[in-house]
Amino acid sequence: MAITEELAALRDDTLQRIEAAATTDELDAVRVAVVGKQGSLTGYLRSMGSVPKEERAAVGRAVNEAREAVEAALEARKATLSAAELTAAIDAAAVDVTLPGRAQQRGTRHLINGIIDEVSEIFLGLGYTVEHGPEVETDYYNFEALNAPPDHPSRSMQDTFYIRDLSGGESAVRGESDVLLRTQTSGVQVHAMEDNPLPIYVIAPGKVYRRDVADPSHLPQFHQIEGLVVDKGITFGDLKGTLEFLCKAVFGPERKTRFRAHYFPFTEPSAEVDVSCGICHGEGCRMCKGTGWLEILGCGMVDPNVLSMSGIDPEEYSGFAFGMGVERIACLKYNVPDLRMLLEGDMRFLRQF
Amino acid sequence: MKVSLKWLAEYVDVPADTKALCDRLDLTGTGVEGVETLGATFDHVVTAQVLTKEHHPDSDHMWVCSVDVGELNQGEDGAPEPLQIVCGAQNFEAGDHIVTAMVGAELPGGVKIKKSKLRGVVSCGMNCSERELGLGGDHDGIMILPEDAPVGVPFAEYAAMTDTVLDLEVTPNRPDCLSMVGMAREVGAMYQVPATDPLRGDAAKLEACTAGAPVGESVGIAIADPGRCGRYNARVIENVKVGPSPAWLAERVAAAGARSINNVVDVTNYILFLYGQPLHAFDYDQLKGADGSVQVIVRPAADGEELTTLDGADRVLTSDMTVIATPERAVALAGVMGGLDSEVTEGTTTVLLETATFDRAHTSRTSRNLGLISEASMRYERGVDGNPIDEVSQAAAALLAEVSGGTVRPGAVDEWPVHVEPVELSFRLGRFDAMMGAQIPADFVRDILRRLGCEVRATADDDVLAVTAPTFRPDLEREIDLYEEVLRLWGMDRIEPTLPAGRERVGVRRPAERVRAVLNDTLRAAGLNETMTYSFGEPGDAERLGLDPDALGLAVEVLNPLNADQSVMRQSILPGLLRAVAYNQSRGVADVQLYELGTVFSAAEGRQKPRERAKVAGVLAGAMHRAGWNQPAVPFDFFDGKGVLESVARELALPKVRFRALDAADAPHLQPGRAAEMMAGGAVIGWVGEVHPLVARAFGAEAPVVAFELDVVALEKAAQPARPYVDVPTFPAVAVDQAFVVGEDVTHEKMAQVMTSAGGKLLEGVALFDVYRDEERVGAGKKSMAYALTYRAPDRTLTSEEVDKAHERLVKKVCSATGAEVRA
C-alpha cells in the first residue's frame, strides 16, 4: 500500500475513534496515540527522511492534511465532551440551599451604650461635642458648684454613696464625706464651663450612682446623659426646641412632649419633660400609669449662680442644661422587664441587641 | 404634703374637676403623687333608726334592737327589712337616730363587722360610737344623730365626710407650699382667683380667752446663738384639760396624714399644717425650776449629751445640734423633735407653747445625723418665716384654749434677735421675654407676682418693675427666681420651640473617643458581646485572683455600701466578667464571649480622690459557636484571646507590638505557660491568657476561660491615626517553604526576628504554617517549625540565583543563631 493510502486509512480510523471517545480522558488517549510525541501520525513526520524524494511533497501534504483533520476533530470533540462534563459536574454539585450558611459571629453592643451612641449621634449632628467626667467626684462638683451648698434640702433627694477620704478631710455629717460617687452627670457641666472656651455645646454621657437597692426598677448604678449649652441669646424656647427634636429622633416623629415646671438647684426655670405614651398614645394605660405621659428627663435654664461660679457673666450669656436617664429610655423603648438584666451579662439577653 | 380639698376650699375656690386640677398642679411645678378619697373606710356604715329595744334574754346589760336601715337591707321578697342588732350601750331609746355598721363594714382600727351570735342571739351589725368611727368623742355611748337625720344613707355622705386628699410632691425650694394657706395662695395664682389667709382672724380670737398673770412674770428665754435660732416665742395656756379632740379637728389632722393624739397635740399639728409653722407644746410643770419659774434656754448641745425624744429613742447629741433646755437639762431637740419627759400627757394642766424659727443648715444636719425626719424638721430645713410668729402663736393659743377649756396668760415672751427683711428685686420685662423666647404681657406678670404675695410697683423705667418678695418665699432672692414664677404660671407649653443658631460650632468626636469607637468595633467584629458589670467590687477579689491584697493599689472604700459584697470599688473588671461567665455557665450557656469597657478605681494614702483608669477586659469560654453541619466547634484557647488583641493592634495601628510570656509570679491569676503581656512601642498595654483554673473556680466559673485586660489610656496613647502607605508590588514574588527543627525553648518570635534580619531587603514575608512534634521523627524536646517565606524585589523580577543565594544565607543564619537544623 502506498504511504498516502496508509495515511488516509489512519486518518479515517482516527476520526472514527475520536467520534467514539466518550470522555475527555479517552479523547486525550487518542490524541496521545496519534499526534502525541510518540503518536502514529507523528511517526510519519519523523520518517519523512526515508521517503523517496519524488514522493516527499505528496506524502508531506497528506500527513499535514491528516494532522489538520485529526486536530480539528479533536478540538470539536473536546468542546462537546467538556460541555457535557461541566453540566454533569454542576448537576452533581447542587446543594440544599436551606442548609445553614458559614457566617462569622459578630458581637453586640450593650443596650445602654447603644442608646448613648444613638443620642450622641443626634447631638453631634446638632454641633455638640461629647465630654466625659470622673465617676468619683468631690462634693464641690457634684453639689456645691451646682448651687446645692452643704445642707441644701435638695441633697436628700438623692441618696449618695460616700467614699473614704484618705486626705484626712472630715465631713460635717457623720458617715458622709467630701468624696462621693457622682449622683448625677451634672458635675461635667461645671468641668466643661471651667475648661472649655465659650460658646459651649456639649453632652456628657456616663455612669452615676445612687443608694437604691437593685430591684426590677432600680439599680445602684445607672447612666445619664447630660447636656449643656452656654451661648449668647439662648432662650427657654431653644431648650424646648432642642429637647423636642431629641424626643422625636429617639422615640419617633409622632410622639408629643410636655414640659412640667419643676425644681433643680442648678437650673432656673426648671422643668421635667414627658413624652407621650407610645402604647396608648396619650389615652392612659398601665405603662404610663393612666397619665398618657412618660417622664424622660429633667432640664432648665442654667442658674446664673452656676454660671458666675464658673466665671461666666450671666448678664451676657445664658444657657440651658438637661439630663436624662438612659436606663429609663431603654425600658421605654424595649420594655426591659427587670433592670438587673442589664448587669448580669446573660448572653441570651445581650445577643438580642 | 397631703392636701384635703375640702379644707383647701375654705380659702380658695377649688375646681370641681379634680383630674384637671391635678394636671394643672403637675404642669405648674407641684407634682401630684396620689389622689385618695377619704370616707371609703365607712363602707357599709349607714344612718339608721332604732325601732324597738328589748332586754337580752340572757344578759342584764345588753339590748336586742330592731334597727331600720331603709332600703339598704332587704328581705327575700325585696322589701326593706330592719336588722336585728345586739347592743351593749345604755344611752339610747327606741326612736333614736343612730349610726350602724352593717355586715361587711370595716371600722378604723381594722374591726370587721360579721354576722355573729351574742349569748345565743343573732346580731347583724353594730351600733357605733364616735370613738369606734375614729372621730374622737369623749364617752362610750353610741352616737345619737339629730331627729331630722335621714335613715338609710351612707354615713360618710350624711356627715359630708367624703373628701379628696391630694398627695403633693412639694419641691425643696417651696417651704410655703408645706401649708394649707400656701397651697391656697398657689392655687389662687394658678387660676388667677382670690385666696384668703385666716391668720389675722384666728389670732384676734385670743383676746376672748386671756386670763391670769402675764407670761413674762414667770417665763424667761435665752438664745445662746442667734445663728441657730432667729426667734423664739413662748405663750402659756393654763387650766388645760387634755382629752380627745373634737371631731372636726381630728378629721383635719387625719386628712393631713397625722394621727389624732389629743386636743393639745392636735392643735399644734393643725396649726403646722394650716400655716406651715411648727409648734411644740411642753408640759409647763415639767420645765419649772425650784422657784416655780421657767427658764427656756436655746443652746448648742454638749457633745455626748443625751436626750430621749418623743418617739422613745435615746439620742446621743453633738455640739452641731441645738437643744431647748432648762438650766438643768435638755428638754427638746430644736426644730426636730420634743423630749419625752416634758411631753404633754393626760395629767398636763399648763402648756408652754413654743413658736420659733431654727437655722436651716443645723436642722438639716441634725436630721440627717440622727436619721430622724419630722414634719417640723422638714419645714425648718426648707425655711420657716419668722415674721408672723407672734400671730401664729396667738391663733394657736386661742384654739388651744377653745378645745381644751383653758385660758391663755396675757402676752408672750418673744426673743427675736434676727429679723428677716423682705428682698427688693427688679423685674426687667424685656430681658424676661428675651430669655424665655416669648412675649408675655406685663399685666400678667404683675398679676401673678401679686397673687404670689409680692408687692409690685412701677419704676421710672417702663421696662422695669420693682418687686418686694414676701418673707415666706425664701426662694425668691433674685430676678431669675421671679422669672421662673411667671413662666411656670404662664405655662411652659405656650412657649414656641426653637433651635439655637449654629454659628461657631461643629460636632466632632475627640481623638480619644474615636479610639474607643474603633476598639469597641474591633472587639465586636471579633465576636465579643459588650456587657456591663457592677463598678463595685467585693472585698477579697484581689486575693480571689491570687494577687496580694494591695497588688492593684489600695481599694477605694464605700462608706455607706448597700451590702458587704459591694463595699469597695472594683480594681479590675475581670472579677465581674468571671462572675458573668459563672452566671451563664450555671444556666446552661456554655459559649460565652464578653467584654466590658469601664472604669477601675484605686486609692492612695493622703490623696482625696481615688485614681480612675479606663480598662477594657474580655472573657472567652466554650467556643465561638456550637458545632455546625459544615464547621466544627473549636474550643477557645490562649490564641483566641491573643488573636483578639492582634486585631485591636492592627485596627489601632499600634507600633512595635510584642507579646512577652508572663510567669506565675508576674501573673498569678493566669495559668503559667499560657499568659502573656502585650506591649506596644515599648509601653505595657495589658495582658492576655488563660485564667488559672483555681482562680476561675474561686469565682464559680468553669475553666478554661481565656481573658484579657488592657489599659484604654495606654491604647489611646499608642494608637496611630493611620499606618504608612506601602507600594503595591508590581513584580512577582518567589515563595519558598522551609522547615526547621529547633529546641522547645526557641520561640517563634526569635525565629521570626532572625529570619527578618537575615533575609534582608528581599525577604518580604514570613508566615508560620505548621508546628510539628514527633519524638521519633523530630526528636525529644524538639519541634519542627515550617515557614512560608516570600522573596520579592520592588524594582525587578528576581532570578532563581538571587533567591537561592538569599535563602541559603537565611537558613545558615537561622541555624547558627538558634541551633536549628534544616528538616529534610
Side-chain angles (χ1 to χ4, degrees), chain B residues 502-520:
Chain B
R503 286 195 175 191
E504 289 182 51
R505 66 189 152 100
V506 282
V508 283
R509 289 212 182 263
R510 295 173 188 285
E513 280 265 306
R514 283 204 295 271
V515 167
R516 287 179 194 212
V518 171
L519 181 59
N520 272 304

Side-chain angles (χ1 to χ4, degrees), chain A residues 295-309:
Chain A
E295 182 190 327
I296 53 155
L297 52 81
C299 65
M301 301 299 286
V302 181
D303 192 290
N305 280 3
V306 174
L307 293 173
S308 301
M309 282 184 82

Side-chain angles (χ1 to χ4, degrees), chain A residues 314-315, chain B residues 425-435 445 461-467 479-480 482-483:
Chain A
E315 286 294 318
Chain B
L425 299 168
S426 296
F427 193 109
R428 289 169 288 173
L429 294 159
R431 180 168 158 79
F432 173 62
D433 279 353
M435 204 165 164
V445 174
D461 183 345
D462 278 350
D463 185 49
V464 181
L465 302 175
V467 179
E479 186 178 4
I480 189 78
L482 301 177
Y483 289 5

Side-chain angles (χ1 to χ4, degrees), chain B residues 44-48 67 69 83 85 98-102 125-128:
Chain B
H44 294 92
V45 179
V46 302
T47 60
V67 175
V69 293
L83 294 170
I85 292 175
I98 59 167
V99 181
T100 294
M102 294 169 44
M126 186 174 101
N127 299 333
C128 302

Side-chain angles (χ1 to χ4, degrees), chain A residues 99-100 102 104-110 112-113 120-121 124 126-132 134-138 151 153 157 160-167 172-174 176-179 181 201 207 209 211-214 220-221 223 234-238 240-242 244 258-263 268-271 301 303-305 314-315 342-348 350-351, chain B residues 26-29 169 171-173 316 318 321 361 364-365 368-369 381 428 431 434-437 478 480-481 484 487-488 492-493 495-501 505-510 513 520-521 524-525 527-536 556-562 569 580 583-584 587 589 591 593-594 599 601 603-610 612 624 629-631:
Chain A
L99 285 171
R102 206 176 280 115
Q104 186 175 334
Q105 174 173 301
R106 207 186 140 83
T108 49
R109 184 79 156 144
H110 191 273
I112 292 300
N113 281 336
S120 300
E121 288 306 319
L124 283 165
L126 288 175
Y128 290 55
T129 50
V130 181
E131 299 276 352
H132 294 276
E135 293 176 24
V136 179
E137 272 290 13
T138 54
D151 315 308
M157 289 159 82
T160 309
F161 280 112
Y162 293 99
I163 295 294
R164 184 171 302 289
D165 182 350
L166 294 179
S167 68
V173 176
R174 269 181 239 166
E176 297 185 3
S177 161
D178 278 344
V179 194
L181 297 181
Y201 289 80
K207 210 170 269 182
Y209 301 85
R211 244 182 130 264
D212 283 320
V213 175
Q221 68 179 49
H223 296 78
I234 295 294
T235 69
F236 189 82
D238 292 337
K240 267 190 83 174
T242 302
E244 285 187 5
R258 161 176 105 153
F259 284 65
R260 279 181 291 109
H262 198 67
Y263 168 76
E268 183 150 10
S270 303
M301 301 299 286
D303 192 290
N305 280 3
E315 286 294 318
L342 297 170
L343 288 171
E344 279 162 352
D346 191 320
M347 294 287 295
R348 298 163 298 182
L350 297 173
R351 301 245 353 123
Chain B
D26 264 330
L27 288 175
T28 53
E169 184 205 359
T171 52
N173 59 325
V316 180
T318 70
M321 302 172 184
S364 167
R365 284 198 297 271
R368 274 191 284 163
N369 267 324
E381 70 177 25
R428 289 169 288 173
R431 180 168 158 79
M435 204 165 164
M436 298 306 120
R478 303 161 303 162
I480 189 78
D481 302 323
E484 176 171 63
L487 174 69
R488 70 185 179 86
M492 293 176 168
D493 51 329
I495 306 289
E496 192 64 33
T498 50
L499 280 174
R505 66 189 152 100
V506 282
V508 283
R509 289 212 182 263
R510 295 173 188 285
E513 280 265 306
N520 272 304
D521 197 51
R524 290 203 300 280
L528 274 68
N529 302 282
E530 190 185 29
T531 188
M532 285 185 188
T533 60
Y534 278 106
S535 301
F536 301 102
V556 174
E557 195 185 335
V558 181
L559 290 176
N560 53 343
L562 283 170
M569 301 307 289
Y583 182 98
N584 278 293
R587 281 159 183 78
V589 182
D591 295 338
Q593 316 93 16
L594 294 173
T599 308
F601 305 81
E605 218 41 81
R607 199 169 57 201
Q608 187 182 40
K609 274 186 72 181
E612 290 178 39
M624 192 56 85
W629 70 280
N630 57 353
Q631 48 186 8

Side-chain angles (χ1 to χ4, degrees), chain B residues 25 96 163 208 212 242 247 253 303 311 318 367 381 423 516 682 703 792:
Chain B
L25 281 164
D96 278 351
D163 186 8
V242 176
V253 169
D303 278 314
D311 53 3
T318 70
S367 174
E381 70 177 25
V423 179
R516 287 179 194 212
R792 195 200 305 265

